[in-house]
């Protein structure tokens, strides 16, 4: 019941770095992986003006739907961390208040940064439909982007949650793609 603190803490740190001149929104880039994707997705929903580019790698963007489906492999063991929204209305409302997928419509302005989202078809931790649903809803809700920002979805059909963990060549290619994306978005902007 304190998850929002991590989201507002991240926002506060980025805001501080901008206010004190260490950075500016045209240079802020961030990567969120798995539950870190939830953190970054929620922060983006609350303050899209703070970011120039973000990467959401196999992101957990729909915690409410997952926690409502006890048939998913990890849901029951996650009740200790997230609570059980099936049995507790307060837990349901709290999850719904920050879940990235459920709060896209609360974005205060049009998409203000470029986003690269990845999914893995064989991911047993974050079901591939989390990022797919989020990107689909973003494309519906954010039809107009006056700044020519990108919303890219990359789906890997062969890998799981940890990507190419045993194949160094594929890991290097994945990192190269992500770094190229981030650099292309912050240089000369």
């Amino acid at each position: 019941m304190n998850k929002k603190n991590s989201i507002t803490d991240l926002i506060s740190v980025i805001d501080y770095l901008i206010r004190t001149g260490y950075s500016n929104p045209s240079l802020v880039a961030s990567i969120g992986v798995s539950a870190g994707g939830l953190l970054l997705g929620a922060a983006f929903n609350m303050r899209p003006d703070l970011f120039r580019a973000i990467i959401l790698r196999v992101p957990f963007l729909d915690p409410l739907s997952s926690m409502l489906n006890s048939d998913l492999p990890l849901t029951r063991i996650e009740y200790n961390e997230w609570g059980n929204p099936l049995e507790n209305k307060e837990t349901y409302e709290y999850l719904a208040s920050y879940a990235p997928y459920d709060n896209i419509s609360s974005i205060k302005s049009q998409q203000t940064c470029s986003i690269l989202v990845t999914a893995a078809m064989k991911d047993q931790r974050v079901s591939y439909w989390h990022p797919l649903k989020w990107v689909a809803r973003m494309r519906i809700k954010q039809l107009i982007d006056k700044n020519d920002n990108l919303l890219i979805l990359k789906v890997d059909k062969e890998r799981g949650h940890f990507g190419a963990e045993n194949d160094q060549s594929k890991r290097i290619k994945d990192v190269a793609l992500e770094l190229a994306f981030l650099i292309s978005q912050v240089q000369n902007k």
Side-chain angles (χ1 to χ4, degrees), residues 33 84 89 115 129 135 139 170:
V33 181
N84 184 345
K89 182 180 179 185
I115 304 169
W129 57 82
V135 168
R139 287 181 175 160
K170 288 182 181 176

Side-chain angles (χ1 to χ4, degrees), residues 151-170:
L151 178 55
I152 300 170
L153 173 64
K154 179 182 179 273
V155 179
D156 190 306
K157 295 187 267 182
E158 300 302 321
R159 300 188 219 160
H161 192 70
F162 299 104
E165 58 187 307
N166 295 323
D167 187 333
Q168 184 173 353
S169 175
K170 288 182 181 176

Side-chain angles (χ1 to χ4, degrees), residues 2 12 28 40 86 88 110 112 116 127 134 142 144 171:
N2 294 310
S12 295
V28 176
L40 190 53
L86 290 168
N88 186 311
Q110 296 298 325
T112 58
L116 170 63
S127 301
W134 188 83
Q142 304 293 312
I144 301 168
R171 283 197 320 270

Side-chain angles (χ1 to χ4, degrees):
M1 295 304 284
N2 294 310
K3 183 65 178 173
K4 275 191 188 175
N5 292 347
S6 63
I7 300 162
T8 56
D9 287 351
L10 175 63
I11 290 169
S12 295
V13 168
I14 295 169
D15 190 50
Y16 174 81
L17 292 171
I18 292 169
R19 280 187 295 105
T20 56
Y22 287 102
S23 191
N24 67 65
S26 69
L27 296 174
V28 176
S30 189
I31 301 173
V33 181
S34 194
L38 181 150
L39 170 69
L40 190 53
F44 171 74
N45 281 354
M46 292 177 188
R47 290 290 308 275
D49 59 303
L50 294 179
F51 301 94
R52 176 62 207 123
I54 61 176
I55 295 175
L56 301 172
R57 190 184 315 144
V58 292
F60 186 49
L61 296 168
D62 192 10
L64 185 57
S65 291
S66 289
M67 298 312 296
L68 288 170
N69 186 349
S70 60
D71 292 331
L72 292 175
L74 297 177
T75 297
R76 290 182 188 169
I77 61 173
E78 295 287 338
Y79 284 153
N80 287 335
E81 181 174 348
W82 301 94
N84 184 345
L86 290 168
E87 296 179 359
N88 186 311
K89 182 180 179 185
E90 184 181 5
T91 298
Y92 179 94
E93 290 172 352
Y94 190 71
L95 276 167
S97 72
Y98 68 82
Y101 178 76
D102 296 299
N103 287 286
I104 290 173
S105 62
S106 68
I107 293 175
K108 295 179 177 81
S109 63
Q110 296 298 325
Q111 179 181 333
T112 58
C113 77
S114 289
I115 304 169
L116 170 63
V117 183
T118 69
M121 294 296 287
K122 295 181 180 177
D123 192 334
Q124 294 181 341
R125 292 178 181 247
V126 176
S127 301
Y128 68 88
W129 57 82
H130 280 260
L132 272 63
K133 283 173 49 176
W134 188 83
V135 168
R137 184 172 275 185
M138 279 291 290
R139 287 181 175 160
I140 291 168
K141 299 278 185 177
Q142 304 293 312
L143 292 175
I144 301 168
D145 184 338
K146 298 173 185 163
N147 300 312
D148 295 323
N149 292 308
L150 304 172
L151 178 55
I152 300 170
L153 173 64
K154 179 182 179 273
V155 179
D156 190 306
K157 295 187 267 182
E158 300 302 321
R159 300 188 219 160
H161 192 70
F162 299 104
E165 58 187 307
N166 295 323
D167 187 333
Q168 184 173 353
S169 175
K170 288 182 181 176
R171 283 197 320 270
I172 290 170
K173 287 178 183 176
D174 290 344
V175 170
L177 172 79
E178 291 177 356
L179 292 176
F181 170 78
L182 293 177
I183 291 167
S184 74
Q185 295 307 303
V186 298
Q187 74 180 17
N188 302 321
K189 297 286 181 178

